[in-house]
Each structure stands twice: as structure tokens, then as C-alpha cells.
Amino acid sequence: MFYTFQNMVHTLWRLWSGVFEPLPYGDPYLAVVAMAVVVTVSAKLFFGREPS
């Protein structure tokens, strides 16, 4: 079970970082920054909704 999850995470990371591979220093540096931005924005959208 653990190795299945580990394999899935590794495969998804390779797909994600492959998007940034053509850029200079894009893989993995820009991939990590882009992932942090995606996680932060999605968390803000999901949890940060305040009633007006």
C-alpha cells in the first residue's frame, strides 16, 4: 500500500515538473514554487471564504 502511494506521488511529481522542464532552471525550482502557489491559492479559496 505504501509503495503504491509512493509510486503515485513520484509519477505525479514527474508529470508536474515535466511541464516546467523546457524553462531554464524550471525543473525542479519553478515546479516547487508553482506547486506552493497552487496549494496556497486553493487553500485560500477552499478555507478562506468569509461570510459578507
Coordinates of all heavy atoms in Angstrom, one line a residue:
M1 N 0.8 -1.2 0.0 CA 0.0 0.0 0.0 C 0.9 1.3 0.0 O 0.6 2.2 -0.7 CB -0.9 -0.1 1.2 CG -1.8 1.1 1.4 SD -3.1 1.0 0.2 CE -4.0 2.4 0.6
F2 N 1.9 1.3 0.9 CA 2.8 2.4 0.9 C 3.5 2.6 -0.4 O 3.6 3.7 -0.9 CB 3.8 2.3 2.1 CG 4.9 3.3 2.0 CD1 4.6 4.6 2.5 CD2 6.1 3.1 1.6 CE1 5.5 5.6 2.5 CE2 7.1 4.1 1.6 CZ 6.8 5.3 2.0
Y3 N 4.0 1.5 -1.0 CA 4.7 1.6 -2.2 C 3.9 2.1 -3.4 O 4.3 2.8 -4.3 CB 5.5 0.3 -2.6 CG 6.6 0.1 -1.6 CD1 6.5 -1.0 -0.7 CD2 7.6 0.9 -1.5 CE1 7.5 -1.3 0.2 CE2 8.7 0.7 -0.5 CZ 8.6 -0.4 0.3 OH 9.6 -0.6 1.2
T4 N 2.6 1.7 -3.3 CA 1.6 2.2 -4.4 C 1.5 3.7 -4.3 O 1.5 4.4 -5.3 CB 0.3 1.5 -4.2 OG1 0.5 0.0 -4.2 CG2 -0.7 1.9 -5.3
F5 N 1.3 4.2 -3.0 CA 1.1 5.6 -2.8 C 2.4 6.3 -3.2 O 2.4 7.4 -3.8 CB 0.8 5.9 -1.3 CG 0.7 7.3 -1.0 CD1 -0.4 8.1 -1.5 CD2 1.6 8.0 -0.3 CE1 -0.6 9.4 -1.2 CE2 1.5 9.3 0.0 CZ 0.4 10.0 -0.5
Q6 N 3.6 5.8 -2.8 CA 4.8 6.4 -3.1 C 5.0 6.5 -4.7 O 5.5 7.5 -5.2 CB 6.0 5.6 -2.5 CG 7.4 6.2 -2.8 CD 8.4 5.3 -2.1 OE1 8.2 4.2 -1.8 NE2 9.6 5.9 -2.1
N7 N 4.7 5.4 -5.3 CA 4.8 5.4 -6.8 C 3.9 6.4 -7.4 O 4.3 7.1 -8.4 CB 4.4 4.0 -7.3 CG 5.5 3.4 -8.2 OD1 6.5 4.0 -8.3 ND2 5.2 2.2 -8.7
M8 N 2.7 6.5 -6.9 CA 1.7 7.5 -7.4 C 2.2 8.9 -7.3 O 2.2 9.8 -8.2 CB 0.3 7.4 -6.7 CG -0.7 8.3 -7.3 SD -2.3 8.0 -6.5 CE -1.9 8.6 -4.8
V9 N 2.7 9.3 -6.1 CA 3.3 10.6 -5.8 C 4.5 10.9 -6.7 O 4.6 12.0 -7.3 CB 3.7 10.7 -4.3 CG1 4.5 12.0 -4.1 CG2 2.4 10.7 -3.5
H10 N 5.3 9.9 -6.9 CA 6.5 10.1 -7.7 C 6.1 10.3 -9.2 O 6.7 11.2 -9.8 CB 7.4 8.9 -7.6 CG 8.7 9.0 -8.3 ND1 8.9 8.4 -9.5 CD2 9.8 9.7 -8.0 CE1 10.1 8.7 -10.0 NE2 10.7 9.5 -9.1
T11 N 5.1 9.6 -9.7 CA 4.7 9.7 -11.0 C 4.0 11.1 -11.2 O 4.3 11.7 -12.2 CB 3.7 8.6 -11.4 OG1 4.3 7.3 -11.2 CG2 3.2 8.7 -12.8
L12 N 3.2 11.5 -10.3 CA 2.5 12.8 -10.4 C 3.5 13.9 -10.4 O 3.4 14.9 -11.1 CB 1.4 13.0 -9.3 CG 0.2 12.1 -9.5 CD1 -0.7 12.2 -8.3 CD2 -0.5 12.5 -10.8
W13 N 4.6 13.8 -9.5 CA 5.6 14.8 -9.4 C 6.4 14.9 -10.7 O 6.7 16.0 -11.2 CB 6.5 14.6 -8.3 CG 7.6 15.7 -8.3 CD1 8.9 15.5 -8.6 CD2 7.4 17.1 -8.0 NE1 9.6 16.7 -8.5 CE2 8.7 17.7 -8.1 CE3 6.4 17.8 -7.6 CZ2 8.9 19.0 -7.9 CZ3 6.5 19.2 -7.4 CH2 7.8 19.8 -7.6
R14 N 6.7 13.8 -11.3 CA 7.4 13.8 -12.6 C 6.6 14.5 -13.7 O 7.1 15.2 -14.5 CB 7.8 12.4 -13.0 CG 8.9 11.9 -12.1 CD 9.5 10.6 -12.7 NE 9.9 10.8 -14.0 CZ 11.0 10.4 -14.5 NH1 11.8 9.7 -13.7 NH2 11.4 10.6 -15.7
L15 N 5.3 14.2 -13.7 CA 4.4 14.8 -14.7 C 4.3 16.4 -14.5 O 4.4 17.1 -15.4 CB 3.0 14.3 -14.6 CG 2.8 12.9 -15.2 CD1 1.4 12.3 -14.8 CD2 3.1 12.8 -16.7
W16 N 4.2 16.8 -13.2 CA 4.1 18.2 -12.8 C 5.4 18.9 -13.2 O 5.4 20.0 -13.8 CB 3.8 18.4 -11.4 CG 3.8 19.8 -10.9 CD1 4.8 20.4 -10.2 CD2 2.8 20.8 -11.1 NE1 4.5 21.7 -10.0 CE2 3.2 21.9 -10.5 CE3 1.5 20.7 -11.7 CZ2 2.5 23.1 -10.5 CZ3 0.8 21.9 -11.7 CH2 1.3 23.1 -11.1
S17 N 6.5 18.4 -12.8 CA 7.8 19.0 -13.0 C 8.2 19.0 -14.5 O 9.0 19.8 -15.0 CB 8.9 18.4 -12.2 OG 9.1 17.1 -12.5
G18 N 7.7 18.0 -15.2 CA 7.9 17.9 -16.7 C 7.3 19.1 -17.4 O 7.8 19.5 -18.5
V19 N 6.3 19.7 -16.9 CA 5.7 20.9 -17.5 C 6.7 22.0 -17.5 O 6.7 22.8 -18.5 CB 4.4 21.3 -16.8 CG1 3.8 22.6 -17.3 CG2 3.3 20.2 -16.9
F20 N 7.5 22.1 -16.5 CA 8.4 23.2 -16.4 C 9.8 22.9 -16.9 O 10.7 23.7 -16.8 CB 8.5 23.6 -14.9 CG 7.2 24.1 -14.3 CD1 6.4 23.2 -13.6 CD2 6.8 25.3 -14.5 CE1 5.2 23.5 -13.1 CE2 5.6 25.7 -14.0 CZ 4.8 24.8 -13.3
E21 N 10.0 21.7 -17.4 CA 11.3 21.3 -17.9 C 11.9 22.1 -19.0 O 13.2 22.4 -19.0 CB 11.3 19.8 -18.3 CG 12.6 19.2 -18.5 CD 12.5 17.7 -18.8 OE1 11.4 17.2 -18.7 OE2 13.5 17.1 -19.0
P22 N 11.2 22.6 -20.0 CA 11.8 23.4 -21.0 C 12.3 24.8 -20.6 O 13.2 25.4 -21.2 CB 10.6 23.7 -22.0 CG 9.6 22.7 -21.7 CD 9.8 22.3 -20.3
L23 N 11.9 25.3 -19.4 CA 12.4 26.6 -18.9 C 13.7 26.4 -18.3 O 14.0 25.4 -17.7 CB 11.4 27.1 -17.9 CG 10.0 27.3 -18.3 CD1 9.1 27.7 -17.2 CD2 9.9 28.4 -19.4
P24 N 14.6 27.4 -18.4 CA 15.9 27.3 -17.7 C 15.7 27.3 -16.2 O 14.9 28.1 -15.7 CB 16.6 28.6 -18.2 CG 15.7 29.5 -18.8 CD 14.4 28.6 -19.2
Y25 N 16.3 26.4 -15.5 CA 16.1 26.2 -14.1 C 14.7 25.9 -13.7 O 14.3 26.2 -12.6 CB 16.7 27.3 -13.3 CG 18.1 27.6 -13.6 CD1 18.5 28.7 -14.3 CD2 19.1 26.8 -13.1 CE1 19.8 29.0 -14.6 CE2 20.5 27.0 -13.4 CZ 20.8 28.1 -14.1 OH 22.1 28.4 -14.4
G26 N 13.9 25.5 -14.7 CA 12.5 25.2 -14.4 C 12.2 24.0 -13.7 O 11.2 23.9 -13.0
D27 N 13.0 23.0 -13.8 CA 12.8 21.7 -13.2 C 13.9 21.5 -12.2 O 15.1 21.4 -12.6 CB 12.7 20.6 -14.2 CG 12.5 19.3 -13.6 OD1 11.8 19.2 -12.7 OD2 13.1 18.3 -14.1
P28 N 13.7 21.5 -10.9 CA 12.5 21.5 -10.1 C 12.2 22.8 -9.5 O 11.2 22.9 -8.8 CB 12.8 20.4 -9.1 CG 14.3 20.7 -8.8 CD 14.9 21.0 -10.2
Y29 N 13.0 23.8 -9.7 CA 12.8 25.0 -8.9 C 11.5 25.7 -9.1 O 10.8 26.0 -8.2 CB 14.0 26.0 -9.1 CG 15.3 25.4 -8.8 CD1 16.3 25.1 -9.7 CD2 15.6 25.0 -7.5 CE1 17.5 24.5 -9.4 CE2 16.8 24.5 -7.1 CZ 17.7 24.2 -8.1 OH 18.9 23.6 -7.8
L30 N 11.2 26.0 -10.4 CA 9.9 26.7 -10.7 C 8.7 25.7 -10.4 O 7.7 26.2 -10.0 CB 9.9 27.1 -12.1 CG 10.7 28.3 -12.4 CD1 10.6 28.7 -13.9 CD2 10.4 29.5 -11.6
A31 N 8.9 24.4 -10.5 CA 7.9 23.5 -10.2 C 7.5 23.5 -8.7 O 6.3 23.5 -8.4 CB 8.3 22.1 -10.6
V32 N 8.5 23.6 -7.9 CA 8.2 23.7 -6.4 C 7.5 25.0 -6.1 O 6.5 25.0 -5.3 CB 9.6 23.6 -5.6 CG1 9.3 23.9 -4.2 CG2 10.1 22.2 -5.8
V33 N 8.0 26.1 -6.7 CA 7.3 27.4 -6.4 C 5.9 27.4 -6.9 O 5.0 27.9 -6.3 CB 8.1 28.6 -7.0 CG1 7.4 29.9 -7.0 CG2 9.5 28.7 -6.3
A34 N 5.7 26.9 -8.1 CA 4.3 26.8 -8.7 C 3.4 25.9 -7.9 O 2.3 26.2 -7.7 CB 4.4 26.3 -10.1
M35 N 4.0 24.8 -7.4 CA 3.2 23.9 -6.5 C 2.8 24.6 -5.2 O 1.7 24.5 -4.8 CB 3.9 22.6 -6.2 CG 3.2 21.7 -5.3 SD 1.7 21.0 -6.1 CE 2.3 19.9 -7.3
A36 N 3.7 25.4 -4.6 CA 3.4 26.1 -3.4 C 2.3 27.2 -3.7 O 1.4 27.4 -2.9 CB 4.6 26.8 -2.9
V37 N 2.4 27.8 -4.8 CA 1.3 28.8 -5.2 C 0.0 28.2 -5.4 O -1.0 28.6 -4.9 CB 1.8 29.6 -6.4 CG1 0.6 30.5 -7.0 CG2 3.0 30.5 -6.1
V38 N 0.0 27.0 -6.1 CA -1.3 26.3 -6.3 C -1.9 25.8 -5.0 O -3.1 26.0 -4.8 CB -1.0 25.1 -7.3 CG1 -2.2 24.2 -7.3 CG2 -0.7 25.6 -8.7
V39 N -1.1 25.3 -4.1 CA -1.6 24.8 -2.8 C -2.1 26.0 -2.0 O -3.2 25.9 -1.4 CB -0.5 24.1 -2.0 CG1 -0.9 23.8 -0.6 CG2 -0.2 22.8 -2.7
T40 N -1.4 27.1 -2.0 CA -1.8 28.3 -1.2 C -3.1 28.9 -1.7 O -4.0 29.2 -0.9 CB -0.7 29.4 -1.2 OG1 0.5 28.8 -0.7 CG2 -1.0 30.6 -0.4
V41 N -3.2 29.1 -3.0 CA -4.4 29.7 -3.6 C -5.6 28.8 -3.4 O -6.7 29.2 -3.1 CB -4.1 30.0 -5.1 CG1 -5.4 30.4 -5.8 CG2 -3.1 31.1 -5.2
S42 N -5.4 27.5 -3.6 CA -6.5 26.6 -3.5 C -7.0 26.5 -2.0 O -8.2 26.4 -1.7 CB -6.2 25.2 -4.0 OG -5.1 24.6 -3.4
A43 N -6.0 26.5 -1.1 CA -6.4 26.5 0.4 C -7.1 27.8 0.7 O -8.1 27.8 1.5 CB -5.2 26.4 1.2
K44 N -6.7 28.9 0.2 CA -7.4 30.2 0.4 C -8.8 30.2 -0.1 O -9.7 30.7 0.5 CB -6.5 31.3 -0.1 CG -7.2 32.7 0.0 CD -7.2 33.1 1.5 CE -7.7 34.5 1.5 NZ -8.1 34.9 2.9
L45 N -8.9 29.7 -1.3 CA -10.3 29.6 -1.9 C -11.2 28.6 -1.2 O -12.4 28.9 -1.1 CB -10.1 29.2 -3.4 CG -9.5 30.2 -4.3 CD1 -9.4 29.6 -5.7 CD2 -10.4 31.5 -4.4
F46 N -10.6 27.5 -0.7 CA -11.4 26.5 -0.1 C -11.8 26.9 1.4 O -12.9 26.7 1.8 CB -10.7 25.1 -0.1 CG -11.6 24.0 0.4 CD1 -12.6 23.6 -0.4 CD2 -11.3 23.4 1.6 CE1 -13.4 22.5 0.1 CE2 -12.0 22.4 2.0 CZ -13.1 21.9 1.3
F47 N -10.8 27.3 2.1 CA -10.9 27.5 3.6 C -11.1 29.0 3.9 O -11.7 29.3 5.0 CB -9.7 27.0 4.4 CG -9.6 25.5 4.3 CD1 -8.5 25.0 3.7 CD2 -10.5 24.7 4.8 CE1 -8.3 23.6 3.6 CE2 -10.4 23.3 4.8 CZ -9.3 22.8 4.2
G48 N -10.7 29.9 3.1 CA -10.7 31.3 3.4 C -11.9 32.1 3.1 O -11.9 33.3 3.1
R49 N -13.0 31.4 2.7 CA -14.2 32.2 2.4 C -14.9 32.7 3.7 O -15.3 32.0 4.5 CB -15.2 31.3 1.6 CG -14.6 30.8 0.3 CD -15.7 30.4 -0.6 NE -15.1 29.9 -1.8 CZ -15.3 30.5 -3.0 NH1 -16.2 31.5 -3.0 NH2 -14.7 30.1 -4.1
E50 N -15.0 34.0 3.7 CA -15.6 34.6 4.9 C -17.0 35.1 4.5 O -17.2 35.7 3.4 CB -14.8 35.8 5.4 CG -13.4 35.4 5.8 CD -12.5 36.6 6.1 OE1 -13.0 37.7 6.1 OE2 -11.3 36.4 6.3
P51 N -18.0 35.0 5.4 CA -19.3 35.5 5.0 C -19.3 37.0 5.0 O -18.7 37.6 5.8 CB -20.2 34.9 6.1 CG -19.3 34.6 7.2 CD -18.0 34.3 6.6
S52 N -20.0 37.6 4.0 CA -20.0 39.0 3.9 C -21.2 39.6 4.7 O -22.1 39.0 5.1 CB -20.1 39.5 2.5 OG -20.7 38.6 1.7

